[in-house]
PDB file of all heavy atoms in Angstrom:
ATOM      1  N   LEU T 820     -19.542 -18.325  -4.366  1.00  0.00           N
ATOM      2  CA  LEU T 820     -19.075 -17.202  -3.530  1.00  0.00           C
ATOM      3  C   LEU T 820     -18.501 -17.773  -2.225  1.00  0.00           C
ATOM      4  O   LEU T 820     -19.272 -18.210  -1.362  1.00  0.00           O
ATOM      5  CB  LEU T 820     -20.255 -16.233  -3.229  1.00  0.00           C
ATOM      6  CG  LEU T 820     -20.680 -15.304  -4.309  1.00  0.00           C
ATOM      7  CD1 LEU T 820     -21.538 -16.046  -5.326  1.00  0.00           C
ATOM      8  CD2 LEU T 820     -21.466 -14.145  -3.759  1.00  0.00           C
ATOM      9  N   TYR T 826     -25.191 -11.490   5.244  1.00  0.00           N
ATOM     10  CA  TYR T 826     -25.382 -10.201   4.578  1.00  0.00           C
ATOM     11  C   TYR T 826     -24.967 -10.271   3.089  1.00  0.00           C
ATOM     12  O   TYR T 826     -25.500  -9.550   2.275  1.00  0.00           O
ATOM     13  CB  TYR T 826     -24.620  -9.078   5.273  1.00  0.00           C
ATOM     14  CG  TYR T 826     -23.173  -9.394   5.687  1.00  0.00           C
ATOM     15  CD1 TYR T 826     -22.133  -9.348   4.757  1.00  0.00           C
ATOM     16  CD2 TYR T 826     -22.872  -9.728   6.997  1.00  0.00           C
ATOM     17  CE1 TYR T 826     -20.858  -9.612   5.096  1.00  0.00           C
ATOM     18  CE2 TYR T 826     -21.529 -10.002   7.349  1.00  0.00           C
ATOM     19  CZ  TYR T 826     -20.570  -9.964   6.423  1.00  0.00           C
ATOM     20  OH  TYR T 826     -19.265 -10.223   6.773  1.00  0.00           O
ATOM     21  N   ASP T 827     -24.048 -11.139   2.739  1.00  0.00           N
ATOM     22  CA  ASP T 827     -23.689 -11.324   1.321  1.00  0.00           C
ATOM     23  C   ASP T 827     -24.846 -11.994   0.587  1.00  0.00           C
ATOM     24  O   ASP T 827     -25.209 -11.566  -0.519  1.00  0.00           O
ATOM     25  CB  ASP T 827     -22.445 -12.212   1.178  1.00  0.00           C
ATOM     26  CG  ASP T 827     -21.208 -11.529   1.674  1.00  0.00           C
ATOM     27  OD1 ASP T 827     -20.938 -10.423   1.298  1.00  0.00           O
ATOM     28  OD2 ASP T 827     -20.490 -12.142   2.521  1.00  0.00           O
ATOM     29  N   SER T 830     -27.586  -9.383   0.093  1.00  0.00           N
ATOM     30  CA  SER T 830     -27.301  -8.338  -0.924  1.00  0.00           C
ATOM     31  C   SER T 830     -27.277  -8.892  -2.311  1.00  0.00           C
ATOM     32  O   SER T 830     -27.818  -8.275  -3.241  1.00  0.00           O
ATOM     33  CB  SER T 830     -25.969  -7.622  -0.617  1.00  0.00           C
ATOM     34  OG  SER T 830     -24.907  -8.537  -0.578  1.00  0.00           O
ATOM     35  N   PHE T 831     -26.745 -10.093  -2.519  1.00  0.00           N
ATOM     36  CA  PHE T 831     -26.734 -10.702  -3.862  1.00  0.00           C
ATOM     37  C   PHE T 831     -28.107 -11.126  -4.280  1.00  0.00           C
ATOM     38  O   PHE T 831     -28.451 -11.065  -5.457  1.00  0.00           O
ATOM     39  CB  PHE T 831     -25.740 -11.819  -3.901  1.00  0.00           C
ATOM     40  CG  PHE T 831     -24.287 -11.433  -4.207  1.00  0.00           C
ATOM     41  CD1 PHE T 831     -23.493 -10.888  -3.229  1.00  0.00           C
ATOM     42  CD2 PHE T 831     -23.809 -11.546  -5.499  1.00  0.00           C
ATOM     43  CE1 PHE T 831     -22.184 -10.520  -3.515  1.00  0.00           C
ATOM     44  CE2 PHE T 831     -22.502 -11.139  -5.783  1.00  0.00           C
ATOM     45  CZ  PHE T 831     -21.724 -10.603  -4.803  1.00  0.00           C
ATOM     46  N   ALA T 834     -29.941  -8.199  -5.656  1.00  0.00           N
ATOM     47  CA  ALA T 834     -29.399  -7.570  -6.844  1.00  0.00           C
ATOM     48  C   ALA T 834     -29.895  -8.305  -8.080  1.00  0.00           C
ATOM     49  O   ALA T 834     -30.325  -9.478  -8.014  1.00  0.00           O
ATOM     50  CB  ALA T 834     -27.869  -7.592  -6.817  1.00  0.00           C
ATOM     51  N   CYS T 864     -16.027 -16.381  -6.866  1.00  0.00           N
ATOM     52  CA  CYS T 864     -16.134 -15.033  -6.312  1.00  0.00           C
ATOM     53  C   CYS T 864     -15.523 -15.051  -4.938  1.00  0.00           C
ATOM     54  O   CYS T 864     -15.984 -15.780  -4.040  1.00  0.00           O
ATOM     55  CB  CYS T 864     -17.620 -14.638  -6.195  1.00  0.00           C
ATOM     56  SG  CYS T 864     -17.901 -12.936  -5.728  1.00  0.00           S
ATOM     57  N   ALA T 865     -14.474 -14.279  -4.735  1.00  0.00           N
ATOM     58  CA  ALA T 865     -13.618 -14.366  -3.566  1.00  0.00           C
ATOM     59  C   ALA T 865     -13.641 -13.015  -2.815  1.00  0.00           C
ATOM     60  O   ALA T 865     -13.803 -11.944  -3.384  1.00  0.00           O
ATOM     61  CB  ALA T 865     -12.205 -14.768  -3.930  1.00  0.00           C
ATOM     62  N   PHE T 866     -13.374 -13.119  -1.494  1.00  0.00           N
ATOM     63  CA  PHE T 866     -13.276 -11.957  -0.613  1.00  0.00           C
ATOM     64  C   PHE T 866     -11.833 -11.771  -0.168  1.00  0.00           C
ATOM     65  O   PHE T 866     -10.942 -12.550  -0.530  1.00  0.00           O
ATOM     66  CB  PHE T 866     -14.282 -12.085   0.507  1.00  0.00           C
ATOM     67  CG  PHE T 866     -14.614 -10.766   1.184  1.00  0.00           C
ATOM     68  CD1 PHE T 866     -14.863  -9.645   0.395  1.00  0.00           C
ATOM     69  CD2 PHE T 866     -14.711 -10.664   2.555  1.00  0.00           C
ATOM     70  CE1 PHE T 866     -15.193  -8.429   0.988  1.00  0.00           C
ATOM     71  CE2 PHE T 866     -15.020  -9.466   3.173  1.00  0.00           C
ATOM     72  CZ  PHE T 866     -15.273  -8.358   2.400  1.00  0.00           C
ATOM     73  N   ILE T 867     -11.613 -10.786   0.673  1.00  0.00           N
ATOM     74  CA  ILE T 867     -10.262 -10.322   0.977  1.00  0.00           C
ATOM     75  C   ILE T 867      -9.369 -11.333   1.693  1.00  0.00           C
ATOM     76  O   ILE T 867      -8.161 -11.309   1.522  1.00  0.00           O
ATOM     77  CB  ILE T 867     -10.328  -9.035   1.801  1.00  0.00           C
ATOM     78  CG1 ILE T 867     -11.282  -9.225   2.997  1.00  0.00           C
ATOM     79  CG2 ILE T 867     -10.739  -7.828   0.947  1.00  0.00           C
ATOM     80  CD1 ILE T 867     -11.354  -8.006   3.896  1.00  0.00           C
ATOM     81  N   ALA T 888     -13.766 -13.397  -9.640  1.00  0.00           N
ATOM     82  CA  ALA T 888     -14.465 -12.120  -9.420  1.00  0.00           C
ATOM     83  C   ALA T 888     -14.291 -11.718  -7.955  1.00  0.00           C
ATOM     84  O   ALA T 888     -14.889 -12.291  -7.059  1.00  0.00           O
ATOM     85  CB  ALA T 888     -15.954 -12.258  -9.794  1.00  0.00           C
ATOM     86  N   LEU T 889     -13.450 -10.700  -7.716  1.00  0.00           N
ATOM     87  CA  LEU T 889     -13.185 -10.236  -6.368  1.00  0.00           C
ATOM     88  C   LEU T 889     -14.330  -9.359  -5.885  1.00  0.00           C
ATOM     89  O   LEU T 889     -14.762  -8.456  -6.656  1.00  0.00           O
ATOM     90  CB  LEU T 889     -11.847  -9.473  -6.338  1.00  0.00           C
ATOM     91  CG  LEU T 889     -10.643 -10.242  -6.822  1.00  0.00           C
ATOM     92  CD1 LEU T 889      -9.430  -9.306  -6.815  1.00  0.00           C
ATOM     93  CD2 LEU T 889     -10.364 -11.453  -5.940  1.00  0.00           C
ATOM     94  N   ARG T 890     -14.743  -9.580  -4.648  1.00  0.00           N
ATOM     95  CA  ARG T 890     -15.746  -8.672  -4.050  1.00  0.00           C
ATOM     96  C   ARG T 890     -15.044  -7.598  -3.232  1.00  0.00           C
ATOM     97  O   ARG T 890     -15.446  -7.215  -2.129  1.00  0.00           O
ATOM     98  CB  ARG T 890     -16.652  -9.461  -3.127  1.00  0.00           C
ATOM     99  CG  ARG T 890     -17.367 -10.633  -3.765  1.00  0.00           C
ATOM    100  CD  ARG T 890     -18.543 -11.187  -3.000  1.00  0.00           C
ATOM    101  NE  ARG T 890     -18.270 -11.566  -1.639  1.00  0.00           N
ATOM    102  CZ  ARG T 890     -17.752 -12.732  -1.264  1.00  0.00           C
ATOM    103  NH1 ARG T 890     -17.425 -13.647  -2.217  1.00  0.00           N
ATOM    104  NH2 ARG T 890     -17.592 -13.029   0.001  1.00  0.00           N
ATOM    105  N   SER T 891     -13.972  -7.049  -3.813  1.00  0.00           N
ATOM    106  CA  SER T 891     -13.160  -6.084  -3.109  1.00  0.00           C
ATOM    107  C   SER T 891     -12.447  -5.218  -4.115  1.00  0.00           C
ATOM    108  O   SER T 891     -12.347  -5.549  -5.293  1.00  0.00           O
ATOM    109  CB  SER T 891     -12.156  -6.752  -2.182  1.00  0.00           C
ATOM    110  OG  SER T 891     -11.271  -7.540  -2.932  1.00  0.00           O
ATOM    111  N   ALA T 892     -11.938  -4.099  -3.621  1.00  0.00           N
ATOM    112  CA  ALA T 892     -11.133  -3.235  -4.468  1.00  0.00           C
ATOM    113  C   ALA T 892      -9.662  -3.758  -4.519  1.00  0.00           C
ATOM    114  O   ALA T 892      -8.993  -3.722  -5.548  1.00  0.00           O
ATOM    115  CB  ALA T 892     -11.207  -1.776  -4.001  1.00  0.00           C
ATOM    116  N   ARG T 911     -12.538  -6.941 -10.345  1.00  0.00           N
ATOM    117  CA  ARG T 911     -12.670  -6.481  -8.985  1.00  0.00           C
ATOM    118  C   ARG T 911     -13.766  -5.423  -8.900  1.00  0.00           C
ATOM    119  O   ARG T 911     -14.364  -5.020  -9.920  1.00  0.00           O
ATOM    120  CB  ARG T 911     -11.327  -5.866  -8.493  1.00  0.00           C
ATOM    121  CG  ARG T 911     -10.932  -4.629  -9.233  1.00  0.00           C
ATOM    122  CD  ARG T 911      -9.631  -4.013  -8.761  1.00  0.00           C
ATOM    123  NE  ARG T 911      -9.272  -2.781  -9.433  1.00  0.00           N
ATOM    124  CZ  ARG T 911      -8.974  -1.620  -8.830  1.00  0.00           C
ATOM    125  NH1 ARG T 911      -8.991  -1.594  -7.511  1.00  0.00           N
ATOM    126  NH2 ARG T 911      -8.691  -0.583  -9.535  1.00  0.00           N
ATOM    127  N   VAL T 912     -14.029  -4.964  -7.671  1.00  0.00           N
ATOM    128  CA  VAL T 912     -14.967  -3.866  -7.445  1.00  0.00           C
ATOM    129  C   VAL T 912     -14.115  -2.669  -7.078  1.00  0.00           C
ATOM    130  O   VAL T 912     -13.720  -2.537  -5.926  1.00  0.00           O
ATOM    131  CB  VAL T 912     -15.956  -4.230  -6.289  1.00  0.00           C
ATOM    132  CG1 VAL T 912     -16.925  -3.080  -6.088  1.00  0.00           C
ATOM    133  CG2 VAL T 912     -16.697  -5.504  -6.611  1.00  0.00           C
ATOM    134  N   PRO T 913     -13.798  -1.789  -8.023  1.00  0.00           N
ATOM    135  CA  PRO T 913     -12.842  -0.693  -7.774  1.00  0.00           C
ATOM    136  C   PRO T 913     -13.374   0.334  -6.767  1.00  0.00           C
ATOM    137  O   PRO T 913     -12.571   0.983  -6.065  1.00  0.00           O
ATOM    138  CB  PRO T 913     -12.636  -0.070  -9.133  1.00  0.00           C
ATOM    139  CG  PRO T 913     -13.861  -0.457  -9.912  1.00  0.00           C
ATOM    140  CD  PRO T 913     -14.254  -1.788  -9.423  1.00  0.00           C
ATOM    141  N   ALA T 914     -14.655   0.449  -6.674  1.00  0.00           N
ATOM    142  CA  ALA T 914     -15.245   1.383  -5.727  1.00  0.00           C
ATOM    143  C   ALA T 914     -16.662   0.951  -5.369  1.00  0.00           C
ATOM    144  O   ALA T 914     -17.400   0.514  -6.239  1.00  0.00           O
ATOM    145  CB  ALA T 914     -15.297   2.808  -6.310  1.00  0.00           C
ATOM    146  N   TYR T 915     -16.989   0.991  -4.102  1.00  0.00           N
ATOM    147  CA  TYR T 915     -18.371   0.645  -3.733  1.00  0.00           C
ATOM    148  C   TYR T 915     -18.964   1.839  -3.004  1.00  0.00           C
ATOM    149  O   TYR T 915     -19.693   2.643  -3.546  1.00  0.00           O
ATOM    150  CB  TYR T 915     -18.426  -0.631  -2.861  1.00  0.00           C
ATOM    151  CG  TYR T 915     -17.250  -0.885  -1.966  1.00  0.00           C
ATOM    152  CD1 TYR T 915     -17.288  -0.493  -0.634  1.00  0.00           C
ATOM    153  CD2 TYR T 915     -16.095  -1.521  -2.477  1.00  0.00           C
ATOM    154  CE1 TYR T 915     -16.194  -0.762   0.166  1.00  0.00           C
ATOM    155  CE2 TYR T 915     -15.037  -1.757  -1.641  1.00  0.00           C
ATOM    156  CZ  TYR T 915     -15.079  -1.383  -0.288  1.00  0.00           C
ATOM    157  OH  TYR T 915     -14.031  -1.621   0.535  1.00  0.00           O
ATOM    158  N   SER T 916     -18.639   2.087  -1.732  1.00  0.00           N
ATOM    159  CA  SER T 916     -19.043   3.279  -1.040  1.00  0.00           C
ATOM    160  C   SER T 916     -17.863   3.825  -0.241  1.00  0.00           C
ATOM    161  O   SER T 916     -17.584   3.347   0.870  1.00  0.00           O
ATOM    162  CB  SER T 916     -20.218   2.963  -0.050  1.00  0.00           C
ATOM    163  OG  SER T 916     -20.503   4.089   0.724  1.00  0.00           O
ATOM    164  N   ALA T 919     -18.675   4.680   3.353  1.00  0.00           N
ATOM    165  CA  ALA T 919     -18.745   3.623   4.365  1.00  0.00           C
ATOM    166  C   ALA T 919     -17.432   3.560   5.149  1.00  0.00           C
ATOM    167  O   ALA T 919     -17.389   3.589   6.384  1.00  0.00           O
ATOM    168  CB  ALA T 919     -19.080   2.280   3.738  1.00  0.00           C
ATOM    169  N   VAL T 920     -16.334   3.444   4.443  1.00  0.00           N
ATOM    170  CA  VAL T 920     -15.013   3.277   5.067  1.00  0.00           C
ATOM    171  C   VAL T 920     -14.573   4.574   5.759  1.00  0.00           C
ATOM    172  O   VAL T 920     -14.072   4.595   6.866  1.00  0.00           O
ATOM    173  CB  VAL T 920     -13.949   2.778   4.091  1.00  0.00           C
ATOM    174  CG1 VAL T 920     -12.609   2.598   4.747  1.00  0.00           C
ATOM    175  CG2 VAL T 920     -14.439   1.479   3.428  1.00  0.00           C
ATOM    176  N   ALA T1112     -15.567  -1.861   8.286  1.00  0.00           N
ATOM    177  CA  ALA T1112     -15.751  -0.529   7.745  1.00  0.00           C
ATOM    178  C   ALA T1112     -16.612  -0.489   6.473  1.00  0.00           C
ATOM    179  O   ALA T1112     -17.345   0.479   6.247  1.00  0.00           O
ATOM    180  CB  ALA T1112     -14.404   0.129   7.461  1.00  0.00           C
ATOM    181  N   PHE T1113     -16.573  -1.561   5.700  1.00  0.00           N
ATOM    182  CA  PHE T1113     -17.337  -1.633   4.433  1.00  0.00           C
ATOM    183  C   PHE T1113     -18.773  -1.957   4.664  1.00  0.00           C
ATOM    184  O   PHE T1113     -19.569  -1.857   3.742  1.00  0.00           O
ATOM    185  CB  PHE T1113     -16.698  -2.685   3.500  1.00  0.00           C
ATOM    186  CG  PHE T1113     -17.037  -4.121   3.947  1.00  0.00           C
ATOM    187  CD1 PHE T1113     -18.106  -4.793   3.352  1.00  0.00           C
ATOM    188  CD2 PHE T1113     -16.332  -4.728   4.985  1.00  0.00           C
ATOM    189  CE1 PHE T1113     -18.445  -6.055   3.793  1.00  0.00           C
ATOM    190  CE2 PHE T1113     -16.675  -5.994   5.385  1.00  0.00           C
ATOM    191  CZ  PHE T1113     -17.734  -6.673   4.802  1.00  0.00           C
ATOM    192  N   LEU T1114     -19.154  -2.346   5.878  1.00  0.00           N
ATOM    193  CA  LEU T1114     -20.406  -2.994   6.134  1.00  0.00           C
ATOM    194  C   LEU T1114     -21.589  -1.986   6.325  1.00  0.00           C
ATOM    195  O   LEU T1114     -22.089  -1.752   7.408  1.00  0.00           O
ATOM    196  CB  LEU T1114     -20.306  -3.911   7.371  1.00  0.00           C
ATOM    197  CG  LEU T1114     -21.382  -4.959   7.570  1.00  0.00           C
ATOM    198  CD1 LEU T1114     -21.337  -5.969   6.436  1.00  0.00           C
ATOM    199  CD2 LEU T1114     -21.262  -5.647   8.887  1.00  0.00           C
ATOM    200  N   THR T1115     -22.017  -1.412   5.207  1.00  0.00           N
ATOM    201  CA  THR T1115     -23.251  -0.626   5.181  1.00  0.00           C
ATOM    202  C   THR T1115     -24.148  -1.227   4.117  1.00  0.00           C
ATOM    203  O   THR T1115     -23.696  -1.892   3.152  1.00  0.00           O
ATOM    204  CB  THR T1115     -23.018   0.859   4.897  1.00  0.00           C
ATOM    205  OG1 THR T1115     -22.525   1.017   3.542  1.00  0.00           O
ATOM    206  CG2 THR T1115     -21.969   1.447   5.889  1.00  0.00           C
ATOM    207  N   ARG T1116     -25.445  -0.922   4.200  1.00  0.00           N
ATOM    208  CA  ARG T1116     -26.400  -1.448   3.198  1.00  0.00           C
ATOM    209  C   ARG T1116     -25.984  -0.944   1.804  1.00  0.00           C
ATOM    210  O   ARG T1116     -26.101  -1.703   0.816  1.00  0.00           O
ATOM    211  CB  ARG T1116     -27.806  -1.037   3.552  1.00  0.00           C
ATOM    212  CG  ARG T1116     -28.367  -1.743   4.743  1.00  0.00           C
ATOM    213  CD  ARG T1116     -29.843  -1.416   4.988  1.00  0.00           C
ATOM    214  NE  ARG T1116     -30.052  -0.032   5.335  1.00  0.00           N
ATOM    215  CZ  ARG T1116     -30.039   0.412   6.618  1.00  0.00           C
ATOM    216  NH1 ARG T1116     -29.843  -0.448   7.581  1.00  0.00           N
ATOM    217  NH2 ARG T1116     -30.261   1.696   6.855  1.00  0.00           N
ATOM    218  N   GLU T1117     -25.603   0.303   1.727  1.00  0.00           N
ATOM    219  CA  GLU T1117     -25.303   0.888   0.471  1.00  0.00           C
ATOM    220  C   GLU T1117     -24.059   0.247  -0.141  1.00  0.00           C
ATOM    221  O   GLU T1117     -23.998  -0.072  -1.381  1.00  0.00           O
ATOM    222  CB  GLU T1117     -25.095   2.396   0.614  1.00  0.00           C
ATOM    223  CG  GLU T1117     -26.327   3.196   0.977  1.00  0.00           C
ATOM    224  CD  GLU T1117     -26.623   3.154   2.472  1.00  0.00           C
ATOM    225  OE1 GLU T1117     -25.886   2.508   3.220  1.00  0.00           O
ATOM    226  OE2 GLU T1117     -27.624   3.826   2.848  1.00  0.00           O
ATOM    227  N   ALA T1118     -23.027   0.018   0.661  1.00  0.00           N
ATOM    228  CA  ALA T1118     -21.793  -0.600   0.150  1.00  0.00           C
ATOM    229  C   ALA T1118     -22.037  -2.023  -0.276  1.00  0.00           C
ATOM    230  O   ALA T1118     -21.553  -2.469  -1.295  1.00  0.00           O
ATOM    231  CB  ALA T1118     -20.702  -0.521   1.209  1.00  0.00           C
ATOM    232  N   LEU T1119     -22.783  -2.803   0.555  1.00  0.00           N
ATOM    233  CA  LEU T1119     -23.054  -4.203   0.178  1.00  0.00           C
ATOM    234  C   LEU T1119     -23.831  -4.284  -1.135  1.00  0.00           C
ATOM    235  O   LEU T1119     -23.566  -5.112  -1.982  1.00  0.00           O
ATOM    236  CB  LEU T1119     -23.838  -4.844   1.310  1.00  0.00           C
ATOM    237  CG  LEU T1119     -23.060  -5.122   2.609  1.00  0.00           C
ATOM    238  CD1 LEU T1119     -24.025  -5.588   3.677  1.00  0.00           C
ATOM    239  CD2 LEU T1119     -21.972  -6.186   2.360  1.00  0.00           C
ATOM    240  N   ALA T1120     -24.794  -3.325  -1.328  1.00  0.00           N
ATOM    241  CA  ALA T1120     -25.565  -3.350  -2.537  1.00  0.00           C
ATOM    242  C   ALA T1120     -24.693  -3.042  -3.751  1.00  0.00           C
ATOM    243  O   ALA T1120     -24.822  -3.643  -4.824  1.00  0.00           O
ATOM    244  CB  ALA T1120     -26.688  -2.346  -2.463  1.00  0.00           C
ATOM    245  N   ALA T1121     -23.756  -2.090  -3.588  1.00  0.00           N
ATOM    246  CA  ALA T1121     -22.881  -1.694  -4.675  1.00  0.00           C
ATOM    247  C   ALA T1121     -21.917  -2.857  -4.977  1.00  0.00           C
ATOM    248  O   ALA T1121     -21.642  -3.114  -6.139  1.00  0.00           O
ATOM    249  CB  ALA T1121     -22.097  -0.449  -4.293  1.00  0.00           C
ATOM    250  N   ILE T1122     -21.400  -3.542  -3.990  1.00  0.00           N
ATOM    251  CA  ILE T1122     -20.513  -4.700  -4.207  1.00  0.00           C
ATOM    252  C   ILE T1122     -21.201  -5.770  -4.989  1.00  0.00           C
ATOM    253  O   ILE T1122     -20.661  -6.330  -5.943  1.00  0.00           O
ATOM    254  CB  ILE T1122     -19.958  -5.208  -2.863  1.00  0.00           C
ATOM    255  CG1 ILE T1122     -19.010  -4.224  -2.234  1.00  0.00           C
ATOM    256  CG2 ILE T1122     -19.283  -6.590  -3.056  1.00  0.00           C
ATOM    257  CD1 ILE T1122     -18.612  -4.546  -0.785  1.00  0.00           C
ATOM    258  N   ALA T1123     -22.393  -6.111  -4.555  1.00  0.00           N
ATOM    259  CA  ALA T1123     -23.160  -7.175  -5.269  1.00  0.00           C
ATOM    260  C   ALA T1123     -23.476  -6.804  -6.686  1.00  0.00           C
ATOM    261  O   ALA T1123     -23.264  -7.592  -7.611  1.00  0.00           O
ATOM    262  CB  ALA T1123     -24.459  -7.450  -4.485  1.00  0.00           C
ATOM    263  N   THR T1124     -23.937  -5.591  -6.906  1.00  0.00           N
ATOM    264  CA  THR T1124     -24.324  -5.164  -8.264  1.00  0.00           C
ATOM    265  C   THR T1124     -23.125  -5.139  -9.181  1.00  0.00           C
ATOM    266  O   THR T1124     -23.149  -5.634 -10.318  1.00  0.00           O
ATOM    267  CB  THR T1124     -25.000  -3.764  -8.199  1.00  0.00           C
ATOM    268  OG1 THR T1124     -26.193  -3.874  -7.425  1.00  0.00           O
ATOM    269  CG2 THR T1124     -25.361  -3.306  -9.599  1.00  0.00           C
ATOM    270  N   THR T1125     -22.034  -4.545  -8.713  1.00  0.00           N
ATOM    271  CA  THR T1125     -20.804  -4.431  -9.518  1.00  0.00           C
ATOM    272  C   THR T1125     -20.248  -5.798  -9.810  1.00  0.00           C
ATOM    273  O   THR T1125     -19.827  -6.113 -10.937  1.00  0.00           O
ATOM    274  CB  THR T1125     -19.767  -3.548  -8.887  1.00  0.00           C
ATOM    275  OG1 THR T1125     -20.310  -2.307  -8.587  1.00  0.00           O
ATOM    276  CG2 THR T1125     -18.543  -3.426  -9.716  1.00  0.00           C
ATOM    277  N   THR T1126     -20.226  -6.704  -8.850  1.00  0.00           N
ATOM    278  CA  THR T1126     -19.697  -8.045  -9.047  1.00  0.00           C
ATOM    279  C   THR T1126     -20.529  -8.805 -10.095  1.00  0.00           C
ATOM    280  O   THR T1126     -19.946  -9.433 -11.023  1.00  0.00           O
ATOM    281  CB  THR T1126     -19.744  -8.868  -7.731  1.00  0.00           C
ATOM    282  OG1 THR T1126     -18.898  -8.182  -6.749  1.00  0.00           O
ATOM    283  CG2 THR T1126     -19.169 -10.228  -7.926  1.00  0.00           C
ATOM    284  N   LEU T1127     -21.817  -8.747  -9.993  1.00  0.00           N
ATOM    285  CA  LEU T1127     -22.675  -9.407 -10.979  1.00  0.00           C
ATOM    286  C   LEU T1127     -22.544  -8.821 -12.333  1.00  0.00           C
ATOM    287  O   LEU T1127     -22.531  -9.505 -13.383  1.00  0.00           O
ATOM    288  CB  LEU T1127     -24.120  -9.373 -10.504  1.00  0.00           C
ATOM    289  CG  LEU T1127     -24.412 -10.237  -9.253  1.00  0.00           C
ATOM    290  CD1 LEU T1127     -25.835  -9.937  -8.725  1.00  0.00           C
ATOM    291  CD2 LEU T1127     -24.246 -11.735  -9.518  1.00  0.00           C
ATOM    292  N   ASP T1128     -22.389  -7.495 -12.416  1.00  0.00           N
ATOM    293  CA  ASP T1128     -22.186  -6.807 -13.692  1.00  0.00           C
ATOM    294  C   ASP T1128     -20.838  -7.251 -14.315  1.00  0.00           C
ATOM    295  O   ASP T1128     -20.717  -7.445 -15.518  1.00  0.00           O
ATOM    296  CB  ASP T1128     -22.200  -5.276 -13.515  1.00  0.00           C
ATOM    297  CG  ASP T1128     -23.634  -4.741 -13.310  1.00  0.00           C
ATOM    298  OD1 ASP T1128     -24.575  -5.523 -13.511  1.00  0.00           O
ATOM    299  OD2 ASP T1128     -23.737  -3.572 -12.899  1.00  0.00           O
ATOM    300  N   ASN T1129     -19.834  -7.375 -13.428  1.00  0.00           N
ATOM    301  CA  ASN T1129     -18.508  -7.828 -13.899  1.00  0.00           C
ATOM    302  C   ASN T1129     -18.590  -9.183 -14.514  1.00  0.00           C
ATOM    303  O   ASN T1129     -17.992  -9.475 -15.546  1.00  0.00           O
ATOM    304  CB  ASN T1129     -17.488  -7.835 -12.729  1.00  0.00           C
ATOM    305  CG  ASN T1129     -17.057  -6.467 -12.319  1.00  0.00           C
ATOM    306  OD1 ASN T1129     -17.210  -5.452 -13.040  1.00  0.00           O
ATOM    307  ND2 ASN T1129     -16.474  -6.370 -11.131  1.00  0.00           N
ATOM    308  N   ILE T1130     -19.318 -10.079 -13.849  1.00  0.00           N
ATOM    309  CA  ILE T1130     -19.446 -11.479 -14.379  1.00  0.00           C
ATOM    310  C   ILE T1130     -20.199 -11.493 -15.693  1.00  0.00           C
ATOM    311  O   ILE T1130     -19.785 -12.148 -16.695  1.00  0.00           O
ATOM    312  CB  ILE T1130     -20.193 -12.367 -13.337  1.00  0.00           C
ATOM    313  CG1 ILE T1130     -19.335 -12.520 -12.086  1.00  0.00           C
ATOM    314  CG2 ILE T1130     -20.496 -13.755 -13.909  1.00  0.00           C
ATOM    315  CD1 ILE T1130     -20.077 -13.156 -10.904  1.00  0.00           C
TER     316      ILE T1130
END
Side-chain angles (χ1 to χ4, degrees):
L820 284 77
Y826 47 79
D827 293 307
S830 60
F831 273 80
C864 188
F866 200 43
I867 49 178
L889 302 176
R890 305 196 304 278
S891 62
R911 65 181 183 126
V912 181
Y915 33 95
S916 171
V920 180
F1113 75 98
L1114 197 64
T1115 67
R1116 288 187 293 271
E1117 293 82 359
L1119 289 171
I1122 290 169
T1124 299
T1125 303
T1126 300
L1127 292 171
D1128 287 347
N1129 286 344
I1130 295 171

